[in-house]
Amino acid sequence: MKRTSLAGDGCPVARALDVFGDWWSLLIIRDASLGRRRFGEFQESLGLAKNILASRLRTLVERGILKMVPASDGSVYQEYVLTPKGRGIFPILVALRQWTEEFDEHPDEIATIMVDRDNGKPVKKLALYSQDGRVLDAAATMLKPRPAKRKRVTA
Amino acid sequence: MKRTSLAGDGCPVARALDVFGDWWSLLIIRDASLGRRRFGEFQESLGLAKNILASRLRTLVERGILKMVPASDGSVYQEYVLTPKGRGIFPILVALRQWTEEFDEHPDEIATIMVDRDNGKPVKKLALYSQDGRVLDAAATMLKPRPAKRKRVTA
DNA sequence: ACATCCGGTTTAATATTGCAACTACACAAG
DNA sequence: CTTGTGTAGTTGCAATATTAAACCGGATGT
C-alpha cells in the first residue's frame, strides 16, 4: 500500500506536493529560508525524529531543493542550503503565512509578522494579477490545456 | 507516537500545514475550487481510498474549510463546498502551480495553464510587494515578533 | 587517554494508509 | 414486492510510515 506518488500527475499543484508536500519538508524549507543550515539546528528547531530528518534532507537534496556545502565554519561537517529551486518556494511560504494571518481562529497565537527589511513595515498581501493589472480571484480564472510546445516546425 | 500536531505552534506556516498540510487535503481543496462537490467526484478524480476521503472531508468540514450543503440536484445526498476560509487557500494553490511551472524538470508533463477568464491570457506570476511597491524576495524580508494587541489600555 | 559533540543509523512500538469487501439507504424497473 | 443499481460511506486487515530511544563512529576538547 505504498504511498501513492503524484509525480506523474499532469496537475502542477500535485507535482509540487509530490516534491515537498509531506509533513516536514516545507517546515525544513522554511527553516532553511530563515538561515538554518545544520542538521542539529533543524532537529532542535523542528523537534522531529533524527531518522526522519535525515531521510527528508536526503530527498530534498536529491530533488534539487537543498544542496550540501562544506562547512562554513571550517568544521568537518556539511551544511544544507537552498538552491535557487528551493528559494523559489518562498512565495508558497508567504501564501501559507498570510492565509493563517487572515483566517486562523487564534490569531493571537501567531508569533511573528513578515516585514520589509528596509523599513520594518508589513509586506502586502499577495494577489494574483491579470496581464492588464486587475486582481483575479479563483472565479476569474480558468485552466486551459497547455499549448503543445512545437518543436522547430519552421523550414 | 501520534503524528505530532502543529496546531499550537507560533509559526503561521506550521499552523496552516496543520490544517491542510497532509497528502490529500490540498488536492481535495484544489478539486473543490474547480467545482467538484460530490464524494464520488472527489474519489474518482483523486483515486484515493474511500475511507481516507471520508476522513479528510470530515476534518476539512470540522476546520471550516468545507461545508456540507444539501444536494443541489434534488437528490438525498450532501455536497461539499468551500467556505470563504477555504476559498482563501486559492493563492496557495496558485503559488504551488507557478513553482512547478518555473522549476519542474519535465514541464512538458504539465497539463494546464491558468488564464484570465476574461481574455484567455496567462495570469501574472505572484510577487510579494512592499507597502511602497517594490518587489521583495526572501532576503528583503524579516520576521518580527507580533506586536501584542493591547486590550483597551486607554483611560 | 577520555569524554563529549555532531550527524547520523538501527530497532521496536505505534499510527496511518490503502485496498477490498461490506453496509445502508434511496430510487427505479419488472 | 423483489431485485438491481448508484451513492456514500464503514469495517477489517495487511503494508508502510513515523516516532522515540538506543546505539555508533569520527572529530574535537581537556
PDB file of all heavy atoms in Angstrom, chain C residues 12-25:
ATOM      1  P    DA C  12      14.684  -5.207  17.391  1.00  0.00           P
ATOM      2  OP1  DA C  12      15.253  -6.232  18.285  1.00  0.00           O
ATOM      3  OP2  DA C  12      14.293  -5.551  16.004  1.00  0.00           O
ATOM      4  O5'  DA C  12      13.410  -4.570  18.114  1.00  0.00           O
ATOM      5  C5'  DA C  12      13.607  -3.779  19.294  1.00  0.00           C
ATOM      6  C4'  DA C  12      12.340  -3.012  19.585  1.00  0.00           C
ATOM      7  O4'  DA C  12      12.256  -1.860  18.693  1.00  0.00           O
ATOM      8  C3'  DA C  12      11.057  -3.823  19.341  1.00  0.00           C
ATOM      9  O3'  DA C  12      10.151  -3.517  20.392  1.00  0.00           O
ATOM     10  C2'  DA C  12      10.568  -3.311  17.991  1.00  0.00           C
ATOM     11  C1'  DA C  12      10.996  -1.844  18.057  1.00  0.00           C
ATOM     12  N9   DA C  12      11.166  -1.205  16.750  1.00  0.00           N
ATOM     13  C8   DA C  12      11.591  -1.763  15.583  1.00  0.00           C
ATOM     14  N7   DA C  12      11.656  -0.912  14.575  1.00  0.00           N
ATOM     15  C5   DA C  12      11.233   0.288  15.127  1.00  0.00           C
ATOM     16  C6   DA C  12      11.069   1.579  14.597  1.00  0.00           C
ATOM     17  N6   DA C  12      11.326   1.885  13.325  1.00  0.00           N
ATOM     18  N1   DA C  12      10.627   2.543  15.425  1.00  0.00           N
ATOM     19  C2   DA C  12      10.366   2.231  16.709  1.00  0.00           C
ATOM     20  N3   DA C  12      10.485   1.067  17.323  1.00  0.00           N
ATOM     21  C4   DA C  12      10.925   0.118  16.466  1.00  0.00           C
ATOM     22  P    DA C  13       8.702  -4.273  20.450  1.00  0.00           P
ATOM     23  OP1  DA C  13       8.638  -4.972  21.744  1.00  0.00           O
ATOM     24  OP2  DA C  13       8.425  -5.001  19.185  1.00  0.00           O
ATOM     25  O5'  DA C  13       7.719  -3.019  20.540  1.00  0.00           O
ATOM     26  C5'  DA C  13       7.991  -2.019  21.517  1.00  0.00           C
ATOM     27  C4'  DA C  13       7.161  -0.781  21.217  1.00  0.00           C
ATOM     28  O4'  DA C  13       7.581  -0.211  19.960  1.00  0.00           O
ATOM     29  C3'  DA C  13       5.654  -1.066  21.076  1.00  0.00           C
ATOM     30  O3'  DA C  13       4.949  -0.083  21.813  1.00  0.00           O
ATOM     31  C2'  DA C  13       5.407  -0.979  19.567  1.00  0.00           C
ATOM     32  C1'  DA C  13       6.463   0.029  19.132  1.00  0.00           C
ATOM     33  N9   DA C  13       6.897  -0.125  17.734  1.00  0.00           N
ATOM     34  C8   DA C  13       7.302  -1.270  17.113  1.00  0.00           C
ATOM     35  N7   DA C  13       7.652  -1.090  15.852  1.00  0.00           N
ATOM     36  C5   DA C  13       7.459   0.264  15.643  1.00  0.00           C
ATOM     37  C6   DA C  13       7.634   1.081  14.509  1.00  0.00           C
ATOM     38  N6   DA C  13       8.084   0.629  13.329  1.00  0.00           N
ATOM     39  N1   DA C  13       7.340   2.395  14.635  1.00  0.00           N
ATOM     40  C2   DA C  13       6.909   2.847  15.826  1.00  0.00           C
ATOM     41  N3   DA C  13       6.696   2.180  16.952  1.00  0.00           N
ATOM     42  C4   DA C  13       6.991   0.881  16.791  1.00  0.00           C
ATOM     43  P    DT C  14       3.322  -0.132  21.850  1.00  0.00           P
ATOM     44  OP1  DT C  14       2.936   0.409  23.163  1.00  0.00           O
ATOM     45  OP2  DT C  14       2.870  -1.457  21.386  1.00  0.00           O
ATOM     46  O5'  DT C  14       2.891   0.934  20.741  1.00  0.00           O
ATOM     47  C5'  DT C  14       3.332   2.273  20.862  1.00  0.00           C
ATOM     48  C4'  DT C  14       2.883   3.035  19.632  1.00  0.00           C
ATOM     49  O4'  DT C  14       3.555   2.545  18.450  1.00  0.00           O
ATOM     50  C3'  DT C  14       1.382   2.918  19.341  1.00  0.00           C
ATOM     51  O3'  DT C  14       0.923   4.239  19.137  1.00  0.00           O
ATOM     52  C2'  DT C  14       1.335   2.074  18.070  1.00  0.00           C
ATOM     53  C1'  DT C  14       2.626   2.504  17.404  1.00  0.00           C
ATOM     54  N1   DT C  14       3.183   1.618  16.343  1.00  0.00           N
ATOM     55  C2   DT C  14       3.558   2.188  15.145  1.00  0.00           C
ATOM     56  O2   DT C  14       3.453   3.373  14.911  1.00  0.00           O
ATOM     57  N3   DT C  14       4.072   1.315  14.223  1.00  0.00           N
ATOM     58  C4   DT C  14       4.244  -0.044  14.368  1.00  0.00           C
ATOM     59  O4   DT C  14       4.718  -0.713  13.463  1.00  0.00           O
ATOM     60  C5   DT C  14       3.831  -0.585  15.649  1.00  0.00           C
ATOM     61  C7   DT C  14       3.972  -2.035  15.906  1.00  0.00           C
ATOM     62  C6   DT C  14       3.330   0.260  16.570  1.00  0.00           C
ATOM     63  P    DA C  15      -0.647   4.679  19.115  1.00  0.00           P
ATOM     64  OP1  DA C  15      -0.867   5.542  20.271  1.00  0.00           O
ATOM     65  OP2  DA C  15      -1.453   3.473  18.888  1.00  0.00           O
ATOM     66  O5'  DA C  15      -0.703   5.581  17.810  1.00  0.00           O
ATOM     67  C5'  DA C  15       0.491   5.899  17.152  1.00  0.00           C
ATOM     68  C4'  DA C  15       0.237   6.450  15.781  1.00  0.00           C
ATOM     69  O4'  DA C  15       0.853   5.552  14.836  1.00  0.00           O
ATOM     70  C3'  DA C  15      -1.215   6.629  15.330  1.00  0.00           C
ATOM     71  O3'  DA C  15      -1.280   7.831  14.602  1.00  0.00           O
ATOM     72  C2'  DA C  15      -1.471   5.375  14.497  1.00  0.00           C
ATOM     73  C1'  DA C  15      -0.094   5.087  13.910  1.00  0.00           C
ATOM     74  N9   DA C  15       0.192   3.662  13.698  1.00  0.00           N
ATOM     75  C8   DA C  15      -0.015   2.639  14.572  1.00  0.00           C
ATOM     76  N7   DA C  15       0.359   1.456  14.115  1.00  0.00           N
ATOM     77  C5   DA C  15       0.845   1.740  12.852  1.00  0.00           C
ATOM     78  C6   DA C  15       1.384   0.915  11.847  1.00  0.00           C
ATOM     79  N6   DA C  15       1.537  -0.412  11.969  1.00  0.00           N
ATOM     80  N1   DA C  15       1.772   1.501  10.697  1.00  0.00           N
ATOM     81  C2   DA C  15       1.629   2.836  10.574  1.00  0.00           C
ATOM     82  N3   DA C  15       1.139   3.715  11.443  1.00  0.00           N
ATOM     83  C4   DA C  15       0.758   3.082  12.577  1.00  0.00           C
ATOM     84  P    DT C  16      -2.624   8.370  13.878  1.00  0.00           P
ATOM     85  OP1  DT C  16      -2.663   9.832  14.014  1.00  0.00           O
ATOM     86  OP2  DT C  16      -3.755   7.517  14.316  1.00  0.00           O
ATOM     87  O5'  DT C  16      -2.336   8.043  12.341  1.00  0.00           O
ATOM     88  C5'  DT C  16      -1.094   8.440  11.769  1.00  0.00           C
ATOM     89  C4'  DT C  16      -1.012   7.926  10.353  1.00  0.00           C
ATOM     90  O4'  DT C  16      -0.785   6.497  10.358  1.00  0.00           O
ATOM     91  C3'  DT C  16      -2.277   8.156   9.526  1.00  0.00           C
ATOM     92  O3'  DT C  16      -1.864   8.793   8.338  1.00  0.00           O
ATOM     93  C2'  DT C  16      -2.847   6.752   9.325  1.00  0.00           C
ATOM     94  C1'  DT C  16      -1.586   5.890   9.377  1.00  0.00           C
ATOM     95  N1   DT C  16      -1.760   4.469   9.805  1.00  0.00           N
ATOM     96  C2   DT C  16      -1.277   3.463   9.001  1.00  0.00           C
ATOM     97  O2   DT C  16      -0.734   3.663   7.929  1.00  0.00           O
ATOM     98  N3   DT C  16      -1.452   2.197   9.491  1.00  0.00           N
ATOM     99  C4   DT C  16      -2.059   1.843  10.687  1.00  0.00           C
ATOM    100  O4   DT C  16      -2.151   0.664  11.024  1.00  0.00           O
ATOM    101  C5   DT C  16      -2.536   2.944  11.478  1.00  0.00           C
ATOM    102  C7   DT C  16      -3.214   2.676  12.800  1.00  0.00           C
ATOM    103  C6   DT C  16      -2.371   4.189  11.009  1.00  0.00           C
ATOM    104  P    DT C  17      -2.870   9.102   7.132  1.00  0.00           P
ATOM    105  OP1  DT C  17      -2.346  10.261   6.393  1.00  0.00           O
ATOM    106  OP2  DT C  17      -4.236   9.078   7.656  1.00  0.00           O
ATOM    107  O5'  DT C  17      -2.662   7.821   6.194  1.00  0.00           O
ATOM    108  C5'  DT C  17      -1.393   7.564   5.632  1.00  0.00           C
ATOM    109  C4'  DT C  17      -1.471   6.387   4.681  1.00  0.00           C
ATOM    110  O4'  DT C  17      -1.700   5.191   5.433  1.00  0.00           O
ATOM    111  C3'  DT C  17      -2.579   6.480   3.625  1.00  0.00           C
ATOM    112  O3'  DT C  17      -1.962   6.385   2.352  1.00  0.00           O
ATOM    113  C2'  DT C  17      -3.508   5.306   3.957  1.00  0.00           C
ATOM    114  C1'  DT C  17      -2.617   4.367   4.756  1.00  0.00           C
ATOM    115  N1   DT C  17      -3.254   3.541   5.820  1.00  0.00           N
ATOM    116  C2   DT C  17      -3.066   2.176   5.836  1.00  0.00           C
ATOM    117  O2   DT C  17      -2.427   1.576   5.003  1.00  0.00           O
ATOM    118  N3   DT C  17      -3.664   1.531   6.885  1.00  0.00           N
ATOM    119  C4   DT C  17      -4.413   2.093   7.912  1.00  0.00           C
ATOM    120  O4   DT C  17      -4.892   1.402   8.801  1.00  0.00           O
ATOM    121  C5   DT C  17      -4.570   3.524   7.837  1.00  0.00           C
ATOM    122  C7   DT C  17      -5.361   4.237   8.889  1.00  0.00           C
ATOM    123  C6   DT C  17      -3.992   4.183   6.810  1.00  0.00           C
ATOM    124  P    DG C  18      -2.835   6.537   0.999  1.00  0.00           P
ATOM    125  OP1  DG C  18      -1.919   6.970  -0.065  1.00  0.00           O
ATOM    126  OP2  DG C  18      -4.060   7.287   1.302  1.00  0.00           O
ATOM    127  O5'  DG C  18      -3.232   5.026   0.712  1.00  0.00           O
ATOM    128  C5'  DG C  18      -2.208   4.089   0.458  1.00  0.00           C
ATOM    129  C4'  DG C  18      -2.805   2.733   0.195  1.00  0.00           C
ATOM    130  O4'  DG C  18      -3.290   2.187   1.431  1.00  0.00           O
ATOM    131  C3'  DG C  18      -3.986   2.754  -0.777  1.00  0.00           C
ATOM    132  O3'  DG C  18      -3.707   1.824  -1.808  1.00  0.00           O
ATOM    133  C2'  DG C  18      -5.187   2.352   0.078  1.00  0.00           C
ATOM    134  C1'  DG C  18      -4.551   1.578   1.219  1.00  0.00           C
ATOM    135  N9   DG C  18      -5.232   1.660   2.500  1.00  0.00           N
ATOM    136  C8   DG C  18      -5.726   2.782   3.121  1.00  0.00           C
ATOM    137  N7   DG C  18      -6.280   2.534   4.281  1.00  0.00           N
ATOM    138  C5   DG C  18      -6.143   1.170   4.437  1.00  0.00           C
ATOM    139  C6   DG C  18      -6.557   0.322   5.501  1.00  0.00           C
ATOM    140  O6   DG C  18      -7.138   0.620   6.548  1.00  0.00           O
ATOM    141  N1   DG C  18      -6.225  -1.000   5.253  1.00  0.00           N
ATOM    142  C2   DG C  18      -5.573  -1.464   4.131  1.00  0.00           C
ATOM    143  N2   DG C  18      -5.332  -2.761   4.078  1.00  0.00           N
ATOM    144  N3   DG C  18      -5.179  -0.685   3.137  1.00  0.00           N
ATOM    145  C4   DG C  18      -5.497   0.614   3.354  1.00  0.00           C
ATOM    146  P    DC C  19      -4.595   1.760  -3.103  1.00  0.00           P
ATOM    147  OP1  DC C  19      -3.679   1.579  -4.247  1.00  0.00           O
ATOM    148  OP2  DC C  19      -5.589   2.850  -3.089  1.00  0.00           O
ATOM    149  O5'  DC C  19      -5.373   0.390  -2.895  1.00  0.00           O
ATOM    150  C5'  DC C  19      -4.628  -0.781  -2.566  1.00  0.00           C
ATOM    151  C4'  DC C  19      -5.575  -1.851  -2.060  1.00  0.00           C
ATOM    152  O4'  DC C  19      -6.031  -1.508  -0.741  1.00  0.00           O
ATOM    153  C3'  DC C  19      -6.833  -2.038  -2.916  1.00  0.00           C
ATOM    154  O3'  DC C  19      -6.824  -3.373  -3.405  1.00  0.00           O
ATOM    155  C2'  DC C  19      -7.996  -1.771  -1.949  1.00  0.00           C
ATOM    156  C1'  DC C  19      -7.352  -1.970  -0.588  1.00  0.00           C
ATOM    157  N1   DC C  19      -7.942  -1.173   0.527  1.00  0.00           N
ATOM    158  C2   DC C  19      -8.310  -1.839   1.702  1.00  0.00           C
ATOM    159  O2   DC C  19      -8.162  -3.058   1.780  1.00  0.00           O
ATOM    160  N3   DC C  19      -8.826  -1.116   2.733  1.00  0.00           N
ATOM    161  C4   DC C  19      -8.960   0.207   2.618  1.00  0.00           C
ATOM    162  N4   DC C  19      -9.456   0.880   3.660  1.00  0.00           N
ATOM    163  C5   DC C  19      -8.586   0.902   1.424  1.00  0.00           C
ATOM    164  C6   DC C  19      -8.082   0.180   0.411  1.00  0.00           C
ATOM    165  P    DA C  20      -7.869  -3.773  -4.569  1.00  0.00           P
ATOM    166  OP1  DA C  20      -7.122  -4.609  -5.536  1.00  0.00           O
ATOM    167  OP2  DA C  20      -8.594  -2.574  -5.024  1.00  0.00           O
ATOM    168  O5'  DA C  20      -8.873  -4.687  -3.745  1.00  0.00           O
ATOM    169  C5'  DA C  20      -8.375  -5.476  -2.659  1.00  0.00           C
ATOM    170  C4'  DA C  20      -9.538  -5.921  -1.788  1.00  0.00           C
ATOM    171  O4'  DA C  20      -9.819  -4.929  -0.782  1.00  0.00           O
ATOM    172  C3'  DA C  20     -10.843  -6.125  -2.569  1.00  0.00           C
ATOM    173  O3'  DA C  20     -11.478  -7.292  -2.077  1.00  0.00           O
ATOM    174  C2'  DA C  20     -11.635  -4.871  -2.235  1.00  0.00           C
ATOM    175  C1'  DA C  20     -11.208  -4.661  -0.782  1.00  0.00           C
ATOM    176  N9   DA C  20     -11.415  -3.304  -0.290  1.00  0.00           N
ATOM    177  C8   DA C  20     -11.303  -2.128  -0.976  1.00  0.00           C
ATOM    178  N7   DA C  20     -11.562  -1.058  -0.249  1.00  0.00           N
ATOM    179  C5   DA C  20     -11.864  -1.575   1.002  1.00  0.00           C
ATOM    180  C6   DA C  20     -12.217  -0.963   2.218  1.00  0.00           C
ATOM    181  N6   DA C  20     -12.330   0.350   2.365  1.00  0.00           N
ATOM    182  N1   DA C  20     -12.444  -1.772   3.273  1.00  0.00           N
ATOM    183  C2   DA C  20     -12.322  -3.102   3.117  1.00  0.00           C
ATOM    184  N3   DA C  20     -11.993  -3.787   2.022  1.00  0.00           N
ATOM    185  C4   DA C  20     -11.772  -2.955   0.994  1.00  0.00           C
ATOM    186  P    DA C  21     -12.761  -7.913  -2.854  1.00  0.00           P
ATOM    187  OP1  DA C  21     -12.224  -9.094  -3.565  1.00  0.00           O
ATOM    188  OP2  DA C  21     -13.462  -6.850  -3.616  1.00  0.00           O
ATOM    189  O5'  DA C  21     -13.692  -8.384  -1.667  1.00  0.00           O
ATOM    190  C5'  DA C  21     -13.138  -8.687  -0.373  1.00  0.00           C
ATOM    191  C4'  DA C  21     -14.108  -8.246   0.706  1.00  0.00           C
ATOM    192  O4'  DA C  21     -13.979  -6.821   0.944  1.00  0.00           O
ATOM    193  C3'  DA C  21     -15.572  -8.484   0.327  1.00  0.00           C
ATOM    194  O3'  DA C  21     -16.262  -9.064   1.426  1.00  0.00           O
ATOM    195  C2'  DA C  21     -16.094  -7.088   0.021  1.00  0.00           C
ATOM    196  C1'  DA C  21     -15.270  -6.251   0.996  1.00  0.00           C
ATOM    197  N9   DA C  21     -15.181  -4.840   0.618  1.00  0.00           N
ATOM    198  C8   DA C  21     -14.873  -4.317  -0.610  1.00  0.00           C
ATOM    199  N7   DA C  21     -14.881  -2.997  -0.643  1.00  0.00           N
ATOM    200  C5   DA C  21     -15.212  -2.643   0.659  1.00  0.00           C
ATOM    201  C6   DA C  21     -15.384  -1.396   1.276  1.00  0.00           C
ATOM    202  N6   DA C  21     -15.236  -0.240   0.641  1.00  0.00           N
ATOM    203  N1   DA C  21     -15.724  -1.389   2.586  1.00  0.00           N
ATOM    204  C2   DA C  21     -15.875  -2.550   3.220  1.00  0.00           C
ATOM    205  N3   DA C  21     -15.729  -3.792   2.743  1.00  0.00           N
ATOM    206  C4   DA C  21     -15.399  -3.765   1.442  1.00  0.00           C
ATOM    207  P    DC C  22     -17.750  -9.623   1.223  1.00  0.00           P
ATOM    208  OP1  DC C  22     -17.795 -10.962   1.856  1.00  0.00           O
ATOM    209  OP2  DC C  22     -18.182  -9.447  -0.180  1.00  0.00           O
ATOM    210  O5'  DC C  22     -18.588  -8.614   2.145  1.00  0.00           O
ATOM    211  C5'  DC C  22     -18.129  -8.333   3.470  1.00  0.00           C
ATOM    212  C4'  DC C  22     -18.824  -7.079   3.981  1.00  0.00           C
ATOM    213  O4'  DC C  22     -18.317  -5.937   3.276  1.00  0.00           O
ATOM    214  C3'  DC C  22     -20.335  -7.084   3.756  1.00  0.00           C
ATOM    215  O3'  DC C  22     -20.992  -7.070   5.019  1.00  0.00           O
ATOM    216  C2'  DC C  22     -20.611  -5.827   2.946  1.00  0.00           C
ATOM    217  C1'  DC C  22     -19.366  -4.991   3.173  1.00  0.00           C
ATOM    218  N1   DC C  22     -19.048  -4.076   2.031  1.00  0.00           N
ATOM    219  C2   DC C  22     -19.059  -2.693   2.235  1.00  0.00           C
ATOM    220  O2   DC C  22     -19.339  -2.251   3.364  1.00  0.00           O
ATOM    221  N3   DC C  22     -18.772  -1.867   1.205  1.00  0.00           N
ATOM    222  C4   DC C  22     -18.485  -2.374   0.005  1.00  0.00           C
ATOM    223  N4   DC C  22     -18.193  -1.527  -0.993  1.00  0.00           N
ATOM    224  C5   DC C  22     -18.453  -3.780  -0.237  1.00  0.00           C
ATOM    225  C6   DC C  22     -18.748  -4.597   0.804  1.00  0.00           C
ATOM    226  P    DT C  23     -22.634  -7.164   5.070  1.00  0.00           P
ATOM    227  OP1  DT C  23     -22.944  -7.998   6.243  1.00  0.00           O
ATOM    228  OP2  DT C  23     -23.148  -7.498   3.725  1.00  0.00           O
ATOM    229  O5'  DT C  23     -23.066  -5.662   5.388  1.00  0.00           O
ATOM    230  C5'  DT C  23     -22.441  -4.960   6.447  1.00  0.00           C
ATOM    231  C4'  DT C  23     -22.936  -3.520   6.442  1.00  0.00           C
ATOM    232  O4'  DT C  23     -22.397  -2.807   5.312  1.00  0.00           O
ATOM    233  C3'  DT C  23     -24.453  -3.391   6.351  1.00  0.00           C
ATOM    234  O3'  DT C  23     -24.880  -2.593   7.445  1.00  0.00           O
ATOM    235  C2'  DT C  23     -24.697  -2.721   5.000  1.00  0.00           C
ATOM    236  C1'  DT C  23     -23.392  -1.977   4.773  1.00  0.00           C
ATOM    237  N1   DT C  23     -23.011  -1.714   3.358  1.00  0.00           N
ATOM    238  C2   DT C  23     -22.862  -0.413   2.957  1.00  0.00           C
ATOM    239  O2   DT C  23     -23.046   0.551   3.682  1.00  0.00           O
ATOM    240  N3   DT C  23     -22.479  -0.260   1.644  1.00  0.00           N
ATOM    241  C4   DT C  23     -22.238  -1.261   0.729  1.00  0.00           C
ATOM    242  O4   DT C  23     -21.890  -0.992  -0.423  1.00  0.00           O
ATOM    243  C5   DT C  23     -22.419  -2.602   1.214  1.00  0.00           C
ATOM    244  C7   DT C  23     -22.181  -3.762   0.304  1.00  0.00           C
ATOM    245  C6   DT C  23     -22.793  -2.770   2.497  1.00  0.00           C
ATOM    246  P    DA C  24     -26.424  -2.539   7.930  1.00  0.00           P
ATOM    247  OP1  DA C  24     -26.373  -2.423   9.405  1.00  0.00           O
ATOM    248  OP2  DA C  24     -27.193  -3.626   7.271  1.00  0.00           O
ATOM    249  O5'  DA C  24     -26.947  -1.156   7.339  1.00  0.00           O
ATOM    250  C5'  DA C  24     -26.149   0.013   7.507  1.00  0.00           C
ATOM    251  C4'  DA C  24     -26.756   1.131   6.687  1.00  0.00           C
ATOM    252  O4'  DA C  24     -26.143   1.128   5.376  1.00  0.00           O
ATOM    253  C3'  DA C  24     -28.270   0.983   6.452  1.00  0.00           C
ATOM    254  O3'  DA C  24     -28.866   2.230   6.740  1.00  0.00           O
ATOM    255  C2'  DA C  24     -28.380   0.613   4.977  1.00  0.00           C
ATOM    256  C1'  DA C  24     -27.152   1.303   4.403  1.00  0.00           C
ATOM    257  N9   DA C  24     -26.635   0.745   3.157  1.00  0.00           N
ATOM    258  C8   DA C  24     -26.444  -0.570   2.850  1.00  0.00           C
ATOM    259  N7   DA C  24     -25.938  -0.776   1.650  1.00  0.00           N
ATOM    260  C5   DA C  24     -25.789   0.503   1.132  1.00  0.00           C
ATOM    261  C6   DA C  24     -25.307   0.981  -0.096  1.00  0.00           C
ATOM    262  N6   DA C  24     -24.856   0.179  -1.074  1.00  0.00           N
ATOM    263  N1   DA C  24     -25.294   2.317  -0.289  1.00  0.00           N
ATOM    264  C2   DA C  24     -25.736   3.112   0.693  1.00  0.00           C
ATOM    265  N3   DA C  24     -26.212   2.788   1.903  1.00  0.00           N
ATOM    266  C4   DA C  24     -26.216   1.454   2.052  1.00  0.00           C
ATOM    267  P    DC C  25     -30.457   2.339   7.062  1.00  0.00           P
ATOM    268  OP1  DC C  25     -30.584   3.059   8.338  1.00  0.00           O
ATOM    269  OP2  DC C  25     -31.084   1.007   6.863  1.00  0.00           O
ATOM    270  O5'  DC C  25     -30.997   3.295   5.902  1.00  0.00           O
ATOM    271  C5'  DC C  25     -30.291   4.504   5.626  1.00  0.00           C
ATOM    272  C4'  DC C  25     -30.443   4.840   4.170  1.00  0.00           C
ATOM    273  O4'  DC C  25     -29.703   3.918   3.351  1.00  0.00           O
ATOM    274  C3'  DC C  25     -31.881   4.757   3.652  1.00  0.00           C
ATOM    275  O3'  DC C  25     -32.372   6.088   3.527  1.00  0.00           O
ATOM    276  C2'  DC C  25     -31.763   4.031   2.307  1.00  0.00           C
ATOM    277  C1'  DC C  25     -30.262   3.992   2.059  1.00  0.00           C
ATOM    278  N1   DC C  25     -29.770   2.840   1.262  1.00  0.00           N
ATOM    279  C2   DC C  25     -29.195   3.082   0.000  1.00  0.00           C
ATOM    280  O2   DC C  25     -29.118   4.247  -0.412  1.00  0.00           O
ATOM    281  N3   DC C  25     -28.747   2.039  -0.734  1.00  0.00           N
ATOM    282  C4   DC C  25     -28.840   0.792  -0.251  1.00  0.00           C
ATOM    283  N4   DC C  25     -28.380  -0.210  -1.003  1.00  0.00           N
ATOM    284  C5   DC C  25     -29.422   0.529   1.030  1.00  0.00           C
ATOM    285  C6   DC C  25     -29.873   1.573   1.752  1.00  0.00           C
TER     286       DC C  25
END
